[in-house]
Amino acid sequence: MVFPGTPPPPPAGSGSSPSGPSTTSTKSSSQDSSSAPSKPTSLLPKPRLDYATLLADPAQTAHNAMIRNSPLPHGPNHLPHMIRLRDTQLLLLQKISNVRSKQKEVSHLIKANLGDKEELVRQAKKLKGRITDYETNLNATEEELLELGLVLPNSSMADVPLGPEENAVEIERFGPQPIPSDLARDHLRTTNWYELLDNEASTISTGSSWPYLRGTLALLEMALINYATSICFKHGYEPVIPPDIIRTDIASRCGFNPRDGDGDSAPTQTYHIAGTDLCLAGTAEIPLSALFANRILEHKNLPRKVVGVGHAFRAEAGARGSDTRGLYRVHQFTKVEMFCVTAADGEGGEVMEEMRRVQREIAEGLGLSVRCVTHYSRLILG
């Protein structure tokens, strides 16, 4: 099983590990210190989209974009234009194939010394020029087709409810009955009283929403990381500590393209490292995905399961209030994240359900009150 655009596997003993196909898993403002990134570079082949599926039912693809709140840049003409580009792509590929076939015939005649050699050489040069012209047009066509295709959102599962949160479907509840809220148990009041959260130091060092965890609170975070990771490990997940910095190309390929501003000067929700093509990871799944990029995975070795421990960096632009103060909507937080690579034949649903069971085990062990719902194409534990 091969990722789209994957080169042939390396020879035995080359030191490269085989790896491949679909993934099952889970934004930040560039301030003055995170100026616009340099032109992204990539060590990977260009993405290959399944245009046959995307364009088989244009009305459904457009409807999916609407319900996912992903406006298409060219409006109602977006998909028809993609169809025209796809038709042009296929036509050019066929023409290139035909000319290459003719090229081989002429080359064979020249090598066999059959026919008028001068005329054959003239034909060979003419055919070479035609291929160059066709390939130039093909590259331009494929570039535009890919650009238009990449803005299309992933498809929502048919059974996932749409609309506001009250439309969510509850899967289950478990754990003790929630305790009624009480201002005396406010987490910010408690952490400040015991000097576990240092907001003054945060203001001096970085600014608001970059918390310092101290003493018992710091130990609690480390204990929770170890606790969650150990349960995942028990269920066959390989622990990984990925880098917190990633190429912007990788983030883009993971679909981490927040839509919260237009133009080069607008906030981007991604913290870029000035003068480079690097950014801070908004979620651990982005660097985890690079573990399997541009590799071949044998079907018999799937699914591949890893659990990553990393920091997530997000600007979280927007209004703030009493419900987002303290340790809510912070710009940096530690995250334990399960990440799986599955076969593209429907295995992903089974693995997602397994991940939910692992999450339940983690939450039950902590004595948490949990309501699990399905909403907007994702499961939410809350």
Side-chain angles (χ1 to χ4, degrees), residues 222-240:
M222 289 185 279
L224 287 172
I225 292 169
N226 186 62
Y227 166 72
T229 305
S230 64
I231 291 180
C232 293
F233 178 69
K234 181 180 71 173
H235 288 279
Y237 287 77
E238 176 193 357
V240 177

Side-chain angles (χ1 to χ4, degrees), residues 289-356:
S289 70
L291 281 174
F292 306 98
N294 208 29
R295 298 187 181 186
I296 296 173
L297 291 175
E298 294 188 34
H299 192 282
K300 65 181 181 181
N301 294 327
L302 297 177
R304 295 288 296 274
K305 304 188 294 186
V306 297
V307 54
V309 179
H311 296 104
F313 297 90
R314 305 185 183 189
E316 299 289 359
R320 294 185 175 275
S322 60
D323 59 336
T324 60
R325 63 200 181 101
L327 294 177
Y328 295 103
R329 293 193 65 170
V330 293
H331 296 311
Q332 173 186 328
F333 55 94
T334 307
K335 194 175 186 184
V336 176
E337 181 158 7
M338 292 180 286
F339 185 97
C340 299
V341 180
T342 70
D345 55 6
E347 186 182 48
E350 297 176 9
V351 173
M352 181 66 78
E353 181 59 27
E354 180 200 70
M355 295 168 80
R356 187 173 72 85

Side-chain angles (χ1 to χ4, degrees), residues 248-261:
T248 54
D249 173 66
I250 297 295
S252 177
R253 287 171 185 262
C254 289
F256 200 79
N257 301 300
R259 303 181 301 273
D260 55 350

Side-chain angles (χ1 to χ4, degrees), residues 71-89:
L72 300 180
H74 298 284
N77 193 47
H78 192 99
L79 287 163
H81 187 43
M82 283 188 67
I83 292 173
R84 291 192 293 271
L85 289 170
R86 175 64 169 168
D87 290 342
T88 301
Q89 178 198 34

